Amino acid sequence: MKSISPETRRLIQQLHEPRGFVEALRGSRDYVSLLRRVGDSKELAAIIEILPFVLSKKRGVAEAAAAAVDKLVLDATTKELLWLDDAMRRRSPYSGESFYEWHRMSPNQLLSFERFGAASVSLLGMPSFHHNGYIREAAIYRLDRITSGSELRFLILRLNDWVSNVRDAAYDAVRSRLKPEYGSALIGNLALVSRLEGAGRADHTGLVQAIYKLLQSEECRQVLLQSLKSDDRFVRRASFRLAFNAIGVDLPSVMRLALADRDTVIRTTAAQRLDSLFSGETLDQFLTVMRRDRYMPVRREALRAYVKRGGDQAQDELVSALLDGHFSMREEARYYLRTLASIDLAEFYRRSLSEGREDDLYAAISGLGETGTETDDRLILPYVVNDAGRIRKGAIKALAKLNGKAQGDLFLRALKDGVPSVSRQALKALCNKGFSVPAERIWEILRSATNPHVKRNALSLLQRLNKWESIYYLINAIRDPDEGISELSTSAVERWLVRFNRSFTRPTHPQIGRLVKAVDDAGDRLNEKTKQQLLFSVKSF
């Protein structure tokens, strides 16, 4: 949860500042205006600070505070509401005179909250978060008298209260609302209902199942289907799970919506259910959609469905998946083909490369890198200078797997690539193979680079050099004109000092001299403490 912003904090301080004699006499402080501005802040944490003003004896102040609290609560997500529930109980009653008044309130005072009209739901929800169990129980009874549906989330929250009387009161209130007219409200609070499944203070299984059964009933059918298009991702996920298990639902329509949803979790869940729900031509139609999905796990579920079915089509799909752009798809296809068919996988990729189909080029290069031999690097090398950054990246990755130790110079050149992902892949290749790269070459790349990502990757390589080699260049890098690189270098020097005693390599006299000179050249870019630590590190040598 974000802390209160400085601007809102200033407003709250003005609300709580003691009034002087003149101000008290003239009544010049505009509490109503201040409370309205806090309510417009959209900062939920501010509720704790302004809540005591609801108890004000000045009607205008109390109403402004109630409106502000209501506005903040209505905008709150489920996660934020859970945070507020915990934060309000943790707040010390002695953190301020006004909060002490809230802390010591009595159940009878809740009667006054009902005068705030529509805002009374949010206002009664706040004492349901009170540290005092009697207050929470009284709030539940007051909330139970409201039947708009907006009270439901506060009632569900208290179902797992640590006081049994509060739990029982909340249970009775929620149970009485298991009616079709509460379908929309229940769906809107599915995140809280789902949370009960893992709660430990009481067994909520019966109630949770009753809620799900109601939402899957014919009376709630339209509400459930409408929720499949909700803007709330969690509501859509839960609603699709319920819809797939509901009796009498048009499953093909639900599946079409699920496979078209922007949420990858929903599409994957639907794909995993497909084979158990459909067969024949309907299944084929959905598999065709799934095999074109951008998300690999969905395509993989389609491939597994084809394999389960067997026959020539399964083998055709497996061969096609060998040229999928994702490693996991290629690996899955290779796994099945090793058992279902006799195929030289490396030769397949060599042939695909020779055919030169542009759409398959990245997968063919990657596949050959995964299945080929050292001599296949000659087939990959031409693609290191391809116009497409993705192809260059795939070629570098394949070369690192096939014959990486022979390609050090190539990887260093690729480190300077203008496409960040290509440069990053070259860095990985240089790190994984333990190349003995001349430090001066790496330093020259960092010094002359114009792209920040190249500088960062070169700096990362410098940190992997010999202990006494790396520190010299890291200190020099602090003077880089790019402030981002300078800050990263400063952090790297600090890490070097922390790890100094992890190895006992002795520096040579030239290395000591270079380090001392680098510290001196760094000037005020290094603070005095760091300078002294660096000089002390070589003092004994």
Side-chain angles (χ1 to χ4, degrees):
M1 176 62 63
K2 287 178 63 176
S3 58
I4 298 174
S5 68
E7 182 180 352
T8 304
R9 178 62 66 186
R10 282 193 294 271
L11 295 173
I12 291 170
Q13 285 174 347
Q14 291 179 56
L15 284 167
H16 290 286
E17 281 177 358
R19 292 191 300 171
F21 176 76
V22 175
E23 190 180 17
L25 188 65
R26 294 179 178 175
S28 56
R29 187 178 303 180
D30 191 351
Y31 285 96
V32 172
S33 177
L34 290 170
L35 287 165
R36 284 175 181 167
R37 290 168 65 186
V38 173
D40 292 335
S41 69
K42 297 185 178 180
E43 297 178 43
L44 191 74
I47 287 178
I48 303 175
E49 308 294 343
I50 66 172
L51 197 52
F53 289 93
V54 175
L55 302 175
S56 174
K57 294 178 180 178
K58 295 183 178 180
R59 187 176 183 86
V61 174
E63 289 177 350
V69 170
D70 184 49
K71 194 169 187 178
L72 293 169
V73 169
L74 290 178
D75 289 338
T77 64
T78 296
K79 186 177 180 180
E80 289 173 333
L81 212 59
L82 289 166
W83 174 86
L84 184 63
D85 179 28
D86 181 65
M88 284 187 62
R89 291 195 309 277
R90 290 176 182 272
R91 182 64 177 267
S92 169
Y94 307 107
S95 57
E97 184 179 346
S98 60
F99 196 78
Y100 183 70
E101 291 301 314
W102 176 265
H103 181 80
R104 62 189 290 273
M105 70 186 297
S106 68
N108 291 334
Q109 286 179 276
L110 300 189
L111 288 168
S112 64
F113 288 7
E114 296 177 1
R115 63 188 168 97
F116 295 117
S120 62
V121 180
S122 299
L123 266 294
L124 287 169
M126 296 304 96
S128 76
F129 299 162
H130 202 275
H131 82 284
N132 188 320
Y134 291 108
I135 301 293
R136 295 198 304 278
E137 186 179 11
I140 294 300
Y141 287 130
R142 291 291 166 187
L143 286 165
D144 192 23
R145 297 171 64 179
I146 301 169
T147 57
S148 64
S150 55
E151 77 285 359
L152 192 58
R153 55 179 175 167
F154 299 111
L155 298 175
I156 295 174
L157 268 170
R158 295 273 64 83
L159 283 170
N160 201 47
D161 198 280
W162 56 97
V163 176
S164 60
N165 288 0
V166 179
R167 285 200 306 270
D168 292 343
Y171 176 87
D172 291 340
V174 173
R175 190 81 199 187
S176 68
R177 285 164 171 75
L178 297 191
K179 306 170 185 177
E181 52 265 36
Y182 268 89
S184 294
L186 287 166
I187 282 177
N189 289 288
L190 278 173
L192 291 174
V193 174
S194 177
R195 182 171 170 266
L196 292 173
E197 296 183 55
R201 293 194 179 101
D203 184 5
H204 305 287
T205 304
L207 181 61
V208 171
Q209 292 303 318
I211 292 172
Y212 290 163
K213 185 176 180 180
L214 172 65
L215 295 176
Q216 290 173 317
S217 67
E218 187 176 351
E219 293 89 339
C220 292
R221 182 69 42 78
Q222 287 306 311
V223 173
L224 179 61
L225 294 177
Q226 288 171 6
S227 68
L228 301 180
K229 300 178 182 179
S230 169
D231 292 333
D232 187 317
R233 181 176 59 182
F234 189 92
V235 169
R236 291 203 314 280
R237 289 179 182 178
S239 297
F240 272 111
R241 285 197 299 270
L242 292 172
F244 279 130
N245 293 313
I247 299 173
V249 168
D250 183 359
L251 284 177
S253 296
V254 173
M255 180 60 70
R256 274 191 289 273
L257 281 174
L259 292 179
D261 198 279
R262 61 186 179 275
D263 186 352
T264 56
V265 173
I266 290 174
R267 299 207 306 275
T268 304
T269 303
Q272 292 168 343
R273 295 291 308 275
L274 183 73
D275 196 38
S276 63
L277 295 174
F278 304 100
S279 60
E281 186 177 342
T282 306
L283 176 60
D284 288 336
Q285 291 172 356
F286 288 130
L287 287 176
T288 301
V289 173
M290 287 165 53
R291 67 192 299 275
R292 294 196 300 263
D293 197 283
R294 294 182 62 186
Y295 191 51
M296 182 279 297
V298 176
R299 299 198 302 276
R300 185 169 57 192
E301 290 301 324
L303 182 64
R304 289 172 178 174
Y306 281 121
V307 171
K308 185 177 179 180
R309 178 186 293 182
D312 294 339
Q313 188 177 14
Q315 186 158 331
D316 291 342
E317 291 296 330
L318 287 169
V319 172
S320 177
L322 288 174
L323 293 173
D324 191 278
H326 199 286
F327 166 77
S328 294
M329 281 292 289
R330 297 192 298 272
E331 185 62 22
E332 184 108 356
R334 290 194 289 264
Y335 169 78
Y336 286 120
L337 283 170
R338 288 187 186 103
T339 58
L340 297 178
S342 177
I343 180 172
D344 186 335
L345 295 169
E347 185 57 34
F348 171 85
Y349 287 118
R350 294 186 193 109
R351 188 167 60 252
S352 297
L353 267 184
S354 66
E355 292 171 359
R357 289 193 298 272
E358 189 173 344
D359 291 345
D360 298 334
L361 194 54
Y362 175 80
I365 291 170
S366 301
L368 186 56
E370 292 151 6
T371 60
T373 61
E374 286 188 4
T375 57
D376 287 318
D377 62 356
R378 59 186 173 80
L379 300 175
I380 305 293
L381 282 169
Y383 298 102
V384 174
V385 293
N386 192 275
D387 291 339
R390 185 168 185 255
I391 300 301
R392 298 199 300 277
K393 175 187 173 183
I396 292 166
K397 188 174 183 179
L399 287 171
K401 290 181 178 180
L402 291 173
N403 192 15
K405 292 182 180 179
Q407 308 297 341
D409 286 341
L410 184 151
F411 295 152
L412 276 174
R413 291 196 300 273
L415 193 72
K416 297 183 284 185
D417 198 284
V419 177
S421 62
V422 178
S423 177
R424 184 68 181 171
Q425 190 61 57
L427 171 64
K428 289 181 180 179
L430 289 166
C431 292
N432 290 342
K433 294 298 181 182
F435 291 103
S436 179
V437 183
E440 277 298 329
R441 286 196 63 182
I442 306 173
W443 173 248
E444 181 57 29
I445 291 173
L446 187 150
R447 193 185 63 80
S448 61
T450 56
N451 292 311
H453 68 267
V454 176
K455 285 180 175 286
R456 287 194 300 269
N457 291 338
L459 184 65
S460 184
L461 267 184
L462 288 173
Q463 293 179 66
R464 288 171 168 80
L465 292 174
N466 170 280
K467 175 179 177 178
W468 295 104
E469 281 286 303
S470 67
I471 188 59
Y472 166 71
Y473 291 106
L474 293 177
I475 296 171
N476 280 335
I478 289 175
R479 295 186 289 143
D480 194 275
D482 184 326
E483 286 300 319
I485 297 300
S486 178
E487 291 175 6
L488 287 173
S489 303
T490 302
S491 299
V493 169
E494 292 171 354
R495 284 195 299 274
W496 186 92
L497 287 168
V498 170
R499 300 169 182 171
F500 172 73
N501 285 325
R502 293 186 182 182
S503 70
F504 301 99
T505 309
R506 294 178 63 86
T508 64
H509 287 295
Q511 286 174 332
I512 294 174
R514 292 169 71 192
L515 188 152
V516 172
K517 183 178 185 305
V519 170
D520 186 56
D521 291 343
D524 59 3
R525 290 294 189 106
L526 277 176
N527 62 55
E528 284 303 316
K529 181 180 178 181
T530 302
K531 284 183 179 180
Q532 293 302 319
Q533 289 177 317
L534 288 167
L535 294 176
F536 180 79
S537 70
V538 295
K539 186 176 181 180
S540 61
F541 299 111

